Amino acid sequence: MKRNLSALKKALQFGISGAVGGFVGNLITEPFMQRLTGSASFSDSVFSTARWFGLVGGGIATAIMFGYYYYIKGKPQIKQALKNGGLFGLIAGAISGAIAEGIYSGIGDGNNELLRVICWGIAGSLLGLGLAQRIPNLGALRGMGGGGVGGVLGGCLFILFAYNLSGTAGRLAGCAAIGFWIGIMLVVAETLFNKAWLVISYDTGANRTLTLGSEPVTFGSDENLSIICIPNVSPLAMRFQLEAGQIVCENVDSGAVSYLRSGDQKKIGNCTITVGNSDLPAPTPANIPPTFISDQPAVNSFTSSHFSLKLGSRVIPLSVGTQLFTSDIPSLTAAASNGLVAIVTSRSRNELSLGLTNLCDRAWWATDIQGDIKMVEPESTLTLALGTQIEFGEIDGEIV
């Protein structure tokens, strides 16, 4: 749910940014439109359209990059948007405009609106390809596909506006529509076809979603080193990346590397990072490996064979074989008819390391004393360590 809401917000932000960029880009060309539309020869038409859509494409690309930076950093980044969007958008727009006009004028008779829409799709596709080189992990295919569909949808509206509004108003509204739909469809393509992603939830309640891929997604306090800036942490604190189908998290401070799966969480500064993976099969007892709170069990787990589970004012001693029922934790529902929701097991022969196996029909969330968060799915086992907080639905527990 958080991912979908965040993706919707991202799509709207990109769409509005693209609309503003298309509007402003065309507004700049308006003083020259009489001369542009007056060109008669084929070469003049191609050159004029290239010049026109070059400015429109530069406006759309700059505005979408502005929206991207504002989305991930929460503040305007005008210089970066111009640097990474303006020039390549101008070039990509000019090339795509020239190609589109060449097809339209060379093949069509000047009145084929279907061909015109296809040409807008080609223009949007090339512009999306250019944006894919600037937005991390968007991908060339997703960029071209999203830009192409956006160009077609925006092109349909462009024609509609051109027939129902005056020349200037129609072009302004049409270019805004093209920028809007290119921005929207880039995010739609990214969301529908990405394999892995991060949902970043801030303590303030804000959420952002970033696609994972071969390019690392970095977190830290230095804007020059980190894609996501977080105050009061190391300049470069954490790095996430998709390698050979696996989600890899590197803690830059300690050098520790962990492999994550869908639902795993990391806490850093004022935000919680949740991993998503569309390729992960549905959880079943046969394919879920044991879940651990951390790669290295806490020292206290090996120095004492006695733990207790604190549930509000109630404390339940835990030892090998201890069973917990729905009467102990009413917020849980047992997977079996016997009402058993958890059992304490030994994770070593000497019984100095204990685990709590989830036997209910829902996952738990556990947070260790280092702040790392793990999802304990049904049939998986949590290694017991002092200070671990466990969320059993509406009831919170603590290992003491």
Side-chain angles (χ1 to χ4, degrees), residues 261-262 282-291 332-336 340-342 356-365 374-382:
R261 58 179 181 171
S262 186
T284 65
N287 64 26
I288 298 179
T291 300
L332 298 182
T333 301
L340 188 63
V341 295
L356 188 63
T357 301
N358 183 354
L359 299 179
C360 71
D361 62 353
R362 64 184 298 178
W364 311 333
W365 291 99
K374 288 286 186 178
M375 182 170 63
V376 186
E377 298 177 271
E379 300 295 335
S380 62
T381 301
L382 166 69

Side-chain angles (χ1 to χ4, degrees), residues 290-294 296-309 316-324 342-358 364 366 376 380-386 388 390 399-400:
T291 300
F292 298 92
I293 274 294
S294 63
Q296 299 295 327
V299 174
N300 288 331
S301 298
F302 294 94
T303 59
S304 171
S305 60
H306 183 271
F307 295 95
S308 295
L309 175 63
I316 304 174
L318 302 178
S319 58
V320 176
T322 298
Q323 297 179 337
L324 301 176
I343 186 172
V344 179
T345 58
S346 173
R347 301 189 66 83
S348 63
R349 292 183 179 180
N350 56 17
E351 298 187 5
L352 291 180
S353 177
L354 302 181
L356 188 63
T357 301
N358 183 354
W364 311 333
V376 186
S380 62
T381 301
L382 166 69
T383 299
L384 297 183
L386 293 177
T388 299
I390 310 174
I399 303 299
V400 296

Side-chain angles (χ1 to χ4, degrees), residues 32 43 49 60 77 128-129 136 142 180 252 254 296 302 304 308 310 348 376:
F32 311 101
S43 60
T49 302
I60 291 174
Q77 300 280 312
L129 176 62
R142 289 194 292 265
F180 177 81
V252 180
S254 65
Q296 299 295 327
F302 294 94
S304 171
S308 295
K310 184 178 180 182
S348 63
V376 186

Side-chain angles (χ1 to χ4, degrees), residues 17 223 351:
S17 298
E223 291 188 358
E351 298 187 5

Side-chain angles (χ1 to χ4, degrees), residues 160-200:
L160 179 64
F161 291 143
Y163 276 109
N164 291 278
L165 298 174
S166 65
T168 298
R171 285 189 295 271
L172 289 172
C175 288
I178 290 171
F180 177 81
W181 281 110
I182 288 177
I184 288 281
M185 294 311 300
L186 284 176
V187 179
V188 170
E190 178 188 48
T191 303
L192 289 179
F193 299 106
N194 61 358
K195 294 183 178 181
W197 59 87
L198 301 176
V199 177
I200 305 161

